[in-house]
Amino acid sequence: MIRSELIQKIADENPHLYQRDVDRIVSTILDEITDAMANGNRVELRGFGAFSVKKRDPRVGRNPRTGEAVTVEEKHVPFFKTGKLLRDRLNGK
Amino acid sequence: MADKTLTRMDLAEAVHKEVGLSRNDSADLVESVLRHISDALVRGETVKISSFGTFSVREKAARVGRNPKTGEEVPIHPRRVLTFRSSHLMKDRVAAGNKG
């Protein structure tokens, strides 16, 4: 399933909404999740999962082509942990 | 770091403010989005949402695990796990927002 198919499914269930409004609603929800993480917050969606930010320590990496050592700075990356209900549903429970 | 936890309610509030739907309808739409994504994954589909990320289901083979406390061997059954790969846009925004 891709973004446009998700929007279509929601539009089909909500005939009173214009497709462009559904588009905005979906984008608002997803942007809110990204914004929260960009601000260092987490988003906990019970039964679905939790989005959080993980810190990666600085390290000495290597240029794979030249073998040269390069310093990689500390950085923050998005992380998702599957919720219990969804994990169980994936396994037919 | 701000270290706040947002929930469904905060997402519904954002929809309410941005689109002007009632808080109730906004909450229902947040639920619909999560339900459709979950249902597709349970069907075994990959869910690819541009500029957000990709959820995919991976099959894990059976293996022998060990109870770390007792050292006892326990069989781990084959199972399906969900992985999320964030888009470059999300990675960039999260990295930029948490810098320094």
Side-chain angles (χ1 to χ4, degrees), chain A residues 1-3 6 10 13 24 28-30 32 35 37-46 48 76 78 80 82 86 89-91, chain B residues 1-6 8 14-15 18 33 35-36 38-39 41 45-51 79-80 82 84 86 93 97-98:
Chain A
M1 183 168 80
I2 61 172
R3 189 187 197 115
L6 172 64
I10 293 166
E13 284 176 350
R24 256 177 81 208
T28 299
I29 294 169
L30 300 172
E32 193 69 14
D35 283 349
M37 284 189 282
N39 292 323
N41 295 324
R42 53 184 269 129
V43 183
E44 205 174 293
L45 304 166
R46 287 282 160 90
F48 182 79
H76 290 84
F80 176 76
T82 313
L86 181 52
R89 278 191 67 200
L90 286 170
N91 290 289
Chain B
M1 279 245 224
D3 255 359
K4 218 174 69 178
T5 299
L6 280 77
R8 280 172 167 77
V15 171
E18 175 73 24
V33 168
R35 177 170 47 84
H36 282 297
S38 303
D39 288 352
L41 293 166
E45 290 178 34
T46 292
V47 176
K48 197 169 175 172
I49 299 172
S50 57
S51 73
R79 65 210 154 99
R80 295 204 295 168
L82 174 58
F84 174 70
S86 51
R93 288 186 56 195
N98 290 284

CSV table of all heavy atoms in Angstrom, one decimal, chain A residues 1-3 6 10 13 24 28-30 32 35 37-46 48 76 78 80 82 86 89-91, chain B residues 1-6 8 14-15 18 33 35-36 38-39 41 45-51 79-80 82 84 86 93 97-98:
chain,number,residue,atom,x,y,z
A,1,MET,N,0.8,-1.2,0.0
A,1,MET,CA,0.0,0.0,0.0
A,1,MET,C,0.9,1.3,0.0
A,1,MET,O,1.9,1.3,0.8
A,1,MET,CB,-0.9,0.0,1.3
A,1,MET,CG,-1.9,1.2,1.3
A,1,MET,SD,-3.1,0.9,2.6
A,1,MET,CE,-2.2,1.4,4.0
A,2,ILE,N,0.5,2.2,-0.8
A,2,ILE,CA,1.3,3.4,-0.9
A,2,ILE,C,0.4,4.6,-0.4
A,2,ILE,O,-0.8,4.4,-0.2
A,2,ILE,CB,1.9,3.8,-2.3
A,2,ILE,CG1,0.8,3.9,-3.3
A,2,ILE,CG2,2.9,2.7,-2.7
A,2,ILE,CD1,1.2,4.4,-4.7
A,3,ARG,N,1.0,5.8,-0.2
A,3,ARG,CA,0.3,6.9,0.4
A,3,ARG,C,-1.0,7.2,-0.3
A,3,ARG,O,-2.1,7.4,0.4
A,3,ARG,CB,1.2,8.1,0.3
A,3,ARG,CG,0.7,9.3,1.0
A,3,ARG,CD,1.6,10.6,0.7
A,3,ARG,NE,1.3,11.6,1.7
A,3,ARG,CZ,2.2,12.0,2.6
A,3,ARG,NH1,3.5,11.5,2.5
A,3,ARG,NH2,1.9,13.0,3.4
A,6,LEU,N,-3.7,4.7,0.6
A,6,LEU,CA,-4.2,5.0,2.0
A,6,LEU,C,-5.2,6.1,2.0
A,6,LEU,O,-6.3,6.0,2.6
A,6,LEU,CB,-3.0,5.3,2.9
A,6,LEU,CG,-3.3,5.8,4.3
A,6,LEU,CD1,-4.0,4.7,5.1
A,6,LEU,CD2,-2.0,6.3,5.0
A,10,ILE,N,-9.4,6.0,2.9
A,10,ILE,CA,-10.1,6.9,3.9
A,10,ILE,C,-11.1,7.8,3.2
A,10,ILE,O,-12.2,8.0,3.8
A,10,ILE,CB,-9.0,7.7,4.7
A,10,ILE,CG1,-8.2,6.7,5.5
A,10,ILE,CG2,-9.6,8.7,5.6
A,10,ILE,CD1,-6.9,7.2,6.0
A,13,GLU,N,-14.3,5.9,2.8
A,13,GLU,CA,-15.1,5.7,4.1
A,13,GLU,C,-15.7,7.0,4.5
A,13,GLU,O,-16.6,7.0,5.4
A,13,GLU,CB,-14.2,5.3,5.2
A,13,GLU,CG,-13.8,3.8,5.1
A,13,GLU,CD,-12.8,3.4,6.2
A,13,GLU,OE1,-12.3,4.4,6.9
A,13,GLU,OE2,-12.5,2.2,6.4
A,24,ARG,N,-5.0,16.4,3.1
A,24,ARG,CA,-4.5,17.3,4.1
A,24,ARG,C,-4.5,16.7,5.5
A,24,ARG,O,-3.6,16.9,6.3
A,24,ARG,CB,-5.3,18.6,4.2
A,24,ARG,CG,-4.6,19.8,3.5
A,24,ARG,CD,-5.5,21.0,3.5
A,24,ARG,NE,-5.5,21.7,4.7
A,24,ARG,CZ,-6.6,22.4,5.1
A,24,ARG,NH1,-7.7,22.5,4.4
A,24,ARG,NH2,-6.6,23.1,6.3
A,28,THR,N,-1.3,16.0,7.7
A,28,THR,CA,-1.2,16.7,9.0
A,28,THR,C,-0.8,15.7,10.1
A,28,THR,O,0.1,15.9,10.9
A,28,THR,CB,-2.5,17.3,9.4
A,28,THR,OG1,-2.9,18.3,8.4
A,28,THR,CG2,-2.5,18.0,10.8
A,29,ILE,N,-1.4,14.5,10.1
A,29,ILE,CA,-1.1,13.4,11.1
A,29,ILE,C,0.4,13.0,10.9
A,29,ILE,O,1.1,13.0,11.9
A,29,ILE,CB,-2.0,12.2,10.9
A,29,ILE,CG1,-3.5,12.6,11.2
A,29,ILE,CG2,-1.6,11.0,11.7
A,29,ILE,CD1,-4.5,11.6,10.8
A,30,LEU,N,0.8,12.8,9.7
A,30,LEU,CA,2.2,12.3,9.5
A,30,LEU,C,3.2,13.4,9.8
A,30,LEU,O,4.3,13.1,10.5
A,30,LEU,CB,2.4,11.8,8.1
A,30,LEU,CG,1.5,10.6,7.7
A,30,LEU,CD1,1.6,10.3,6.2
A,30,LEU,CD2,1.8,9.4,8.5
A,32,GLU,N,2.8,15.8,11.9
A,32,GLU,CA,2.9,16.0,13.4
A,32,GLU,C,3.8,15.0,14.1
A,32,GLU,O,4.5,15.3,15.0
A,32,GLU,CB,1.4,15.8,13.9
A,32,GLU,CG,1.2,16.3,15.3
A,32,GLU,CD,1.3,17.8,15.5
A,32,GLU,OE1,1.3,18.5,14.5
A,32,GLU,OE2,1.4,18.2,16.7
A,35,ASP,N,7.4,16.1,13.1
A,35,ASP,CA,7.7,17.3,13.9
A,35,ASP,C,8.0,17.0,15.4
A,35,ASP,O,9.0,17.5,15.9
A,35,ASP,CB,6.5,18.3,13.9
A,35,ASP,CG,6.4,19.0,12.6
A,35,ASP,OD1,7.3,19.0,11.8
A,35,ASP,OD2,5.3,19.7,12.4
A,37,MET,N,9.2,14.3,16.6
A,37,MET,CA,10.6,13.7,16.7
A,37,MET,C,11.7,14.7,16.4
A,37,MET,O,12.7,14.7,17.1
A,37,MET,CB,10.7,12.5,15.7
A,37,MET,CG,10.0,11.3,16.2
A,37,MET,SD,10.4,9.8,15.2
A,37,MET,CE,9.4,10.2,13.8
A,38,ALA,N,11.4,15.6,15.5
A,38,ALA,CA,12.4,16.7,15.2
A,38,ALA,C,12.6,17.6,16.5
A,38,ALA,O,13.6,18.2,16.7
A,38,ALA,CB,11.9,17.5,14.0
A,39,ASN,N,11.5,17.6,17.3
A,39,ASN,CA,11.6,18.4,18.6
A,39,ASN,C,12.1,17.6,19.7
A,39,ASN,O,12.1,18.0,20.9
A,39,ASN,CB,10.3,19.1,18.9
A,39,ASN,CG,9.9,20.1,17.9
A,39,ASN,OD1,10.7,20.9,17.4
A,39,ASN,ND2,8.6,20.2,17.6
A,40,GLY,N,12.5,16.4,19.4
A,40,GLY,CA,13.1,15.5,20.5
A,40,GLY,C,12.0,14.8,21.3
A,40,GLY,O,12.3,14.2,22.4
A,41,ASN,N,10.8,14.8,20.8
A,41,ASN,CA,9.7,14.2,21.6
A,41,ASN,C,9.4,12.8,21.0
A,41,ASN,O,9.9,12.4,19.9
A,41,ASN,CB,8.4,15.0,21.4
A,41,ASN,CG,8.6,16.3,22.1
A,41,ASN,OD1,9.2,16.4,23.2
A,41,ASN,ND2,7.9,17.3,21.5
A,42,ARG,N,8.6,12.0,21.8
A,42,ARG,CA,8.2,10.7,21.3
A,42,ARG,C,6.7,10.7,21.0
A,42,ARG,O,6.0,11.5,21.6
A,42,ARG,CB,8.6,9.5,22.1
A,42,ARG,CG,8.3,9.6,23.6
A,42,ARG,CD,8.9,8.5,24.4
A,42,ARG,NE,7.9,7.4,24.4
A,42,ARG,CZ,8.2,6.1,24.1
A,42,ARG,NH1,9.4,5.8,23.7
A,42,ARG,NH2,7.3,5.2,24.2
A,43,VAL,N,6.3,9.8,20.2
A,43,VAL,CA,4.8,9.7,19.9
A,43,VAL,C,4.4,8.2,20.2
A,43,VAL,O,4.9,7.3,19.6
A,43,VAL,CB,4.5,10.0,18.4
A,43,VAL,CG1,3.0,9.9,18.1
A,43,VAL,CG2,5.1,11.4,18.0
A,44,GLU,N,3.5,8.1,21.2
A,44,GLU,CA,3.1,6.7,21.6
A,44,GLU,C,1.7,6.5,21.1
A,44,GLU,O,0.8,7.1,21.6
A,44,GLU,CB,3.2,6.7,23.1
A,44,GLU,CG,3.4,5.3,23.6
A,44,GLU,CD,3.7,5.3,25.1
A,44,GLU,OE1,4.7,5.8,25.5
A,44,GLU,OE2,2.8,4.8,25.8
A,45,LEU,N,1.6,5.5,20.2
A,45,LEU,CA,0.3,5.2,19.7
A,45,LEU,C,-0.1,3.7,20.1
A,45,LEU,O,0.3,2.8,19.5
A,45,LEU,CB,0.3,5.3,18.2
A,45,LEU,CG,0.7,6.7,17.7
A,45,LEU,CD1,1.0,6.8,16.2
A,45,LEU,CD2,-0.4,7.8,18.1
A,46,ARG,N,-0.7,3.6,21.3
A,46,ARG,CA,-1.0,2.3,21.9
A,46,ARG,C,-1.7,1.4,20.9
A,46,ARG,O,-2.6,1.7,20.2
A,46,ARG,CB,-2.0,2.5,23.1
A,46,ARG,CG,-1.4,3.2,24.3
A,46,ARG,CD,-0.6,2.2,25.1
A,46,ARG,NE,0.4,2.9,26.0
A,46,ARG,CZ,0.1,3.2,27.2
A,46,ARG,NH1,-1.1,2.9,27.7
A,46,ARG,NH2,1.0,3.9,28.0
A,48,PHE,N,-0.5,0.3,18.3
A,48,PHE,CA,0.1,0.4,17.0
A,48,PHE,C,1.7,0.4,17.1
A,48,PHE,O,2.4,-0.5,16.6
A,48,PHE,CB,-0.3,1.7,16.3
A,48,PHE,CG,0.3,1.9,14.9
A,48,PHE,CD1,-0.3,1.2,13.8
A,48,PHE,CD2,1.3,2.8,14.7
A,48,PHE,CE1,0.3,1.4,12.5
A,48,PHE,CE2,1.9,2.9,13.4
A,48,PHE,CZ,1.4,2.2,12.3
A,76,HIS,N,21.2,12.1,15.7
A,76,HIS,CA,19.9,11.5,16.2
A,76,HIS,C,19.1,10.9,15.0
A,76,HIS,O,19.0,11.5,14.0
A,76,HIS,CB,19.1,12.6,16.9
A,76,HIS,CG,19.7,13.0,18.1
A,76,HIS,ND1,20.7,14.0,18.2
A,76,HIS,CD2,19.5,12.6,19.4
A,76,HIS,CE1,21.1,14.2,19.5
A,76,HIS,NE2,20.4,13.3,20.2
A,78,PRO,N,15.5,8.6,13.7
A,78,PRO,CA,14.1,8.1,14.1
A,78,PRO,C,14.1,6.6,14.4
A,78,PRO,O,14.9,5.9,13.8
A,78,PRO,CB,13.3,8.5,12.9
A,78,PRO,CG,14.2,9.1,11.9
A,78,PRO,CD,15.6,8.9,12.3
A,80,PHE,N,11.3,3.3,15.4
A,80,PHE,CA,9.9,2.8,15.6
A,80,PHE,C,9.9,1.5,16.3
A,80,PHE,O,10.6,0.6,15.9
A,80,PHE,CB,9.1,2.7,14.3
A,80,PHE,CG,7.7,2.2,14.4
A,80,PHE,CD1,6.7,2.9,14.9
A,80,PHE,CD2,7.5,0.9,14.0
A,80,PHE,CE1,5.4,2.4,15.0
A,80,PHE,CE2,6.2,0.3,14.2
A,80,PHE,CZ,5.1,1.1,14.7
A,82,THR,N,7.3,-1.5,17.4
A,82,THR,CA,5.9,-2.1,17.1
A,82,THR,C,5.2,-2.3,18.5
A,82,THR,O,5.7,-2.8,19.4
A,82,THR,CB,6.0,-3.4,16.4
A,82,THR,OG1,6.9,-3.3,15.3
A,82,THR,CG2,4.6,-3.8,15.9
A,86,LEU,N,-0.4,-4.9,17.6
A,86,LEU,CA,-0.1,-5.1,16.2
A,86,LEU,C,0.9,-6.3,16.0
A,86,LEU,O,0.7,-7.1,15.1
A,86,LEU,CB,0.5,-3.8,15.6
A,86,LEU,CG,0.9,-3.8,14.2
A,86,LEU,CD1,-0.2,-4.3,13.3
A,86,LEU,CD2,1.4,-2.4,13.7
A,89,ARG,N,-1.2,-9.3,16.3
A,89,ARG,CA,-2.0,-9.5,15.1
A,89,ARG,C,-1.2,-10.0,13.9
A,89,ARG,O,-1.7,-10.8,13.1
A,89,ARG,CB,-2.7,-8.1,14.7
A,89,ARG,CG,-3.9,-7.8,15.5
A,89,ARG,CD,-4.6,-6.6,14.9
A,89,ARG,NE,-5.2,-6.9,13.5
A,89,ARG,CZ,-5.5,-6.0,12.6
A,89,ARG,NH1,-5.4,-4.7,12.9
A,89,ARG,NH2,-6.0,-6.4,11.5
A,90,LEU,N,0.0,-9.5,13.8
A,90,LEU,CA,0.9,-10.0,12.7
A,90,LEU,C,1.1,-11.5,12.7
A,90,LEU,O,1.4,-12.1,11.7
A,90,LEU,CB,2.3,-9.3,12.7
A,90,LEU,CG,2.3,-7.8,12.3
A,90,LEU,CD1,3.6,-7.2,12.6
A,90,LEU,CD2,2.0,-7.7,10.8
A,91,ASN,N,1.0,-12.0,14.0
A,91,ASN,CA,1.3,-13.4,14.2
A,91,ASN,C,0.0,-14.2,14.4
A,91,ASN,O,0.0,-15.3,15.0
A,91,ASN,CB,2.3,-13.6,15.3
A,91,ASN,CG,3.7,-13.1,14.9
A,91,ASN,OD1,4.3,-13.8,14.0
A,91,ASN,ND2,4.1,-12.0,15.4
B,1,MET,N,16.8,18.5,24.5
B,1,MET,CA,15.6,17.7,24.1
B,1,MET,C,14.4,18.0,24.9
B,1,MET,O,14.5,18.2,26.2
B,1,MET,CB,16.0,16.2,24.4
B,1,MET,CG,16.8,15.6,23.2
B,1,MET,SD,15.9,14.3,22.4
B,1,MET,CE,17.1,13.1,22.2
B,2,ALA,N,13.3,18.1,24.3
B,2,ALA,CA,12.0,18.4,24.9
B,2,ALA,C,11.5,17.3,25.8
B,2,ALA,O,11.0,17.5,26.9
B,2,ALA,CB,11.0,18.9,23.9
B,3,ASP,N,11.6,16.1,25.3
B,3,ASP,CA,11.2,14.9,26.0
B,3,ASP,C,9.7,14.8,26.4
B,3,ASP,O,9.4,14.5,27.6
B,3,ASP,CB,12.1,14.7,27.3
B,3,ASP,CG,13.1,13.6,27.1
B,3,ASP,OD1,13.0,13.0,26.0
B,3,ASP,OD2,13.9,13.4,28.0
B,4,LYS,N,8.8,15.2,25.5
B,4,LYS,CA,7.4,15.1,25.8
B,4,LYS,C,6.9,13.8,25.1
B,4,LYS,O,7.5,13.4,24.1
B,4,LYS,CB,6.8,16.3,25.2
B,4,LYS,CG,5.6,16.9,26.1
B,4,LYS,CD,5.1,18.2,25.5
B,4,LYS,CE,4.4,18.0,24.2
B,4,LYS,NZ,3.9,19.2,23.6
B,5,THR,N,5.8,13.3,25.5
B,5,THR,CA,5.2,12.1,24.8
B,5,THR,C,3.9,12.6,24.2
B,5,THR,O,3.0,13.0,25.0
B,5,THR,CB,5.1,10.9,25.7
B,5,THR,OG1,6.4,10.5,26.2
B,5,THR,CG2,4.4,9.8,25.0
B,6,LEU,N,3.8,12.5,22.9
B,6,LEU,CA,2.5,12.8,22.3
B,6,LEU,C,1.7,11.5,22.1
B,6,LEU,O,2.3,10.4,22.1
B,6,LEU,CB,2.8,13.4,20.9
B,6,LEU,CG,3.1,14.9,20.8
B,6,LEU,CD1,4.6,15.1,21.2
B,6,LEU,CD2,2.9,15.4,19.4
B,8,ARG,N,-2.4,9.8,20.5
B,8,ARG,CA,-3.4,10.0,19.5
B,8,ARG,C,-4.2,11.3,19.7
B,8,ARG,O,-4.5,12.0,18.7
B,8,ARG,CB,-4.5,8.9,19.7
B,8,ARG,CG,-4.1,7.6,19.2
B,8,ARG,CD,-5.2,6.6,19.6
B,8,ARG,NE,-5.1,5.3,18.9
B,8,ARG,CZ,-4.2,4.4,19.2
B,8,ARG,NH1,-3.3,4.6,20.1
B,8,ARG,NH2,-4.2,3.2,18.5
B,14,ALA,N,-4.1,18.3,16.3
B,14,ALA,CA,-3.5,18.9,15.1
B,14,ALA,C,-4.4,18.9,13.9
B,14,ALA,O,-4.5,19.9,13.2
B,14,ALA,CB,-2.2,18.1,14.7
B,15,VAL,N,-5.2,17.8,13.7
B,15,VAL,CA,-6.1,17.7,12.6
B,15,VAL,C,-7.2,18.7,12.8
B,15,VAL,O,-7.6,19.5,11.9
B,15,VAL,CB,-6.7,16.3,12.5
B,15,VAL,CG1,-7.8,16.2,11.5
B,15,VAL,CG2,-5.6,15.3,12.0
B,18,GLU,N,-5.8,22.2,12.1
B,18,GLU,CA,-5.4,22.4,10.7
B,18,GLU,C,-6.6,22.3,9.7
B,18,GLU,O,-6.6,23.1,8.8
B,18,GLU,CB,-4.4,21.3,10.3
B,18,GLU,CG,-3.9,21.3,8.9
B,18,GLU,CD,-3.0,22.5,8.5
B,18,GLU,OE1,-2.3,23.0,9.4
B,18,GLU,OE2,-2.9,22.8,7.3
B,33,VAL,N,-6.5,6.1,10.0
B,33,VAL,CA,-5.2,6.0,9.4
B,33,VAL,C,-4.4,4.8,10.0
B,33,VAL,O,-3.8,4.0,9.2
B,33,VAL,CB,-4.4,7.3,9.5
B,33,VAL,CG1,-3.0,7.2,9.1
B,33,VAL,CG2,-5.1,8.4,8.7
B,35,ARG,N,-5.5,2.2,11.5
B,35,ARG,CA,-6.2,1.0,11.3
B,35,ARG,C,-5.9,0.5,9.8
B,35,ARG,O,-5.5,-0.7,9.6
B,35,ARG,CB,-7.7,1.1,11.4
B,35,ARG,CG,-8.5,-0.2,11.1
B,35,ARG,CD,-10.0,-0.1,11.5
B,35,ARG,NE,-10.6,1.2,11.1
B,35,ARG,CZ,-11.1,1.5,9.9
B,35,ARG,NH1,-11.1,0.5,9.0
B,35,ARG,NH2,-11.7,2.6,9.7
B,36,HIS,N,-5.9,1.4,8.9
B,36,HIS,CA,-5.6,1.0,7.5
B,36,HIS,C,-4.2,0.6,7.3
B,36,HIS,O,-3.9,-0.4,6.6
B,36,HIS,CB,-6.0,2.1,6.5
B,36,HIS,CG,-7.4,2.2,6.2
B,36,HIS,ND1,-8.1,1.2,5.6
B,36,HIS,CD2,-8.3,3.2,6.5
B,36,HIS,CE1,-9.4,1.5,5.6
B,36,HIS,NE2,-9.6,2.7,6.1
B,38,SER,N,-2.3,-0.7,9.8
B,38,SER,CA,-2.2,-2.0,10.5
B,38,SER,C,-2.8,-3.1,9.6
B,38,SER,O,-2.2,-4.2,9.5
B,38,SER,CB,-2.9,-2.0,11.8
B,38,SER,OG,-2.4,-0.9,12.6
B,39,ASP,N,-4.0,-2.9,9.1
B,39,ASP,CA,-4.7,-4.0,8.3
B,39,ASP,C,-3.8,-4.4,7.1
B,39,ASP,O,-3.7,-5.6,6.8
B,39,ASP,CB,-6.0,-3.5,7.8
B,39,ASP,CG,-7.0,-3.4,9.0
B,39,ASP,OD1,-6.7,-3.9,10.1
B,39,ASP,OD2,-8.2,-2.9,8.8
B,41,LEU,N,-0.6,-4.3,6.8
B,41,LEU,CA,0.6,-5.0,7.3
B,41,LEU,C,0.2,-6.4,7.7
B,41,LEU,O,0.9,-7.4,7.4
B,41,LEU,CB,1.2,-4.3,8.5
B,41,LEU,CG,1.9,-2.9,8.1
B,41,LEU,CD1,2.1,-2.1,9.4
B,41,LEU,CD2,3.1,-3.2,7.3
B,45,GLU,N,1.2,-6.9,3.5
B,45,GLU,CA,1.7,-5.9,2.5
B,45,GLU,C,2.7,-5.0,3.1
B,45,GLU,O,2.8,-4.8,4.3
B,45,GLU,CB,0.5,-5.0,2.1
B,45,GLU,CG,-0.6,-5.6,1.3
B,45,GLU,CD,-1.7,-4.7,1.0
B,45,GLU,OE1,-1.5,-3.5,0.8
B,45,GLU,OE2,-2.9,-5.2,0.9
B,46,THR,N,3.5,-4.4,2.2
B,46,THR,CA,4.5,-3.4,2.7
B,46,THR,C,3.7,-2.0,2.6
B,46,THR,O,3.0,-1.9,1.6
B,46,THR,CB,5.7,-3.4,1.7
B,46,THR,OG1,6.4,-4.6,2.0
B,46,THR,CG2,6.6,-2.2,2.0
B,47,VAL,N,3.9,-1.2,3.5
B,47,VAL,CA,3.2,0.1,3.5
B,47,VAL,C,4.3,1.2,3.3
B,47,VAL,O,5.1,1.4,4.1
B,47,VAL,CB,2.4,0.4,4.7
B,47,VAL,CG1,1.7,1.8,4.7
B,47,VAL,CG2,1.3,-0.7,4.9
B,48,LYS,N,4.2,1.8,2.1
B,48,LYS,CA,5.2,2.8,1.7
B,48,LYS,C,4.6,4.2,1.6
B,48,LYS,O,3.8,4.4,0.7
B,48,LYS,CB,5.8,2.4,0.3
B,48,LYS,CG,7.1,3.0,0.0
B,48,LYS,CD,7.7,2.3,-1.2
B,48,LYS,CE,8.9,3.1,-1.7
B,48,LYS,NZ,9.6,2.3,-2.7
B,49,ILE,N,5.0,5.0,2.6
B,49,ILE,CA,4.4,6.4,2.6
B,49,ILE,C,5.5,7.4,2.3
B,49,ILE,O,6.4,7.6,3.1
B,49,ILE,CB,3.7,6.6,4.0
B,49,ILE,CG1,2.6,5.6,4.2
B,49,ILE,CG2,3.2,8.0,4.0
B,49,ILE,CD1,2.0,5.6,5.5
B,50,SER,N,5.3,8.0,1.1
B,50,SER,CA,6.4,8.9,0.6
B,50,SER,C,6.6,10.0,1.6
B,50,SER,O,5.7,10.5,2.2
B,50,SER,CB,6.0,9.4,-0.8
B,50,SER,OG,4.8,10.1,-0.7
B,51,SER,N,7.8,10.4,1.7
B,51,SER,CA,8.3,11.5,2.6
B,51,SER,C,8.1,11.2,4.1
B,51,SER,O,8.3,12.0,4.9
B,51,SER,CB,7.8,12.9,2.2
B,51,SER,OG,6.5,13.0,2.5
B,79,ARG,N,8.2,-16.4,13.3
B,79,ARG,CA,7.3,-15.3,13.5
B,79,ARG,C,7.4,-14.2,12.5
B,79,ARG,O,8.4,-14.2,11.8
B,79,ARG,CB,7.4,-14.8,14.9
B,79,ARG,CG,8.8,-14.1,15.2
B,79,ARG,CD,9.3,-14.2,16.6
B,79,ARG,NE,10.7,-14.2,16.6
B,79,ARG,CZ,11.4,-13.1,16.9
B,79,ARG,NH1,10.8,-12.0,17.2
B,79,ARG,NH2,12.7,-13.1,16.8
B,80,ARG,N,6.5,-13.3,12.5
B,80,ARG,CA,6.6,-12.1,11.6
B,80,ARG,C,6.8,-10.9,12.4
B,80,ARG,O,6.2,-10.7,13.5
B,80,ARG,CB,5.2,-12.0,10.8
B,80,ARG,CG,5.0,-13.1,9.9
B,80,ARG,CD,4.1,-12.7,8.7
B,80,ARG,NE,2.7,-12.4,9.2
B,80,ARG,CZ,1.8,-11.8,8.4
B,80,ARG,NH1,2.1,-11.5,7.2
B,80,ARG,NH2,0.6,-11.5,8.9
B,82,LEU,N,7.7,-6.5,12.4
B,82,LEU,CA,7.5,-5.3,11.6
B,82,LEU,C,8.8,-4.4,11.7
B,82,LEU,O,9.3,-4.2,12.8
B,82,LEU,CB,6.3,-4.6,12.2
B,82,LEU,CG,5.9,-3.2,11.6
B,82,LEU,CD1,5.7,-3.3,10.1
B,82,LEU,CD2,4.7,-2.7,12.3
B,84,PHE,N,10.4,-0.6,10.5
B,84,PHE,CA,10.1,0.7,9.9
B,84,PHE,C,11.4,1.3,9.4
B,84,PHE,O,12.4,1.4,10.2
B,84,PHE,CB,9.5,1.6,10.9
B,84,PHE,CG,9.3,3.1,10.5
B,84,PHE,CD1,8.3,3.3,9.5
B,84,PHE,CD2,10.0,4.1,11.0
B,84,PHE,CE1,8.1,4.6,9.0
B,84,PHE,CE2,9.8,5.4,10.5
B,84,PHE,CZ,8.9,5.7,9.5
B,86,SER,N,12.7,4.9,8.0
B,86,SER,CA,12.3,6.2,7.8
B,86,SER,C,12.8,6.8,6.5
B,86,SER,O,13.9,6.3,6.0
B,86,SER,CB,12.8,7.1,9.0
B,86,SER,OG,14.1,6.9,9.2
B,93,ARG,N,15.2,15.7,8.9
B,93,ARG,CA,14.5,16.6,9.8
B,93,ARG,C,14.8,16.3,11.3
B,93,ARG,O,14.9,17.2,12.1
B,93,ARG,CB,13.0,16.7,9.5
B,93,ARG,CG,12.7,17.4,8.2
B,93,ARG,CD,11.2,17.6,8.0
B,93,ARG,NE,10.6,18.2,9.1
B,93,ARG,CZ,9.2,18.2,9.3
B,93,ARG,NH1,8.5,17.6,8.5
B,93,ARG,NH2,8.7,18.9,10.3
B,97,GLY,N,16.8,18.8,13.7
B,97,GLY,CA,16.1,19.3,14.9
B,97,GLY,C,16.7,19.0,16.2
B,97,GLY,O,16.5,19.6,17.2
B,98,ASN,N,17.5,17.9,16.3
B,98,ASN,CA,18.1,17.5,17.5
B,98,ASN,C,19.6,17.8,17.6
B,98,ASN,O,20.3,17.3,18.5
B,98,ASN,CB,17.9,16.0,17.7
B,98,ASN,CG,16.4,15.6,18.0
B,98,ASN,OD1,15.9,15.9,19.1
B,98,ASN,ND2,15.8,15.2,17.0
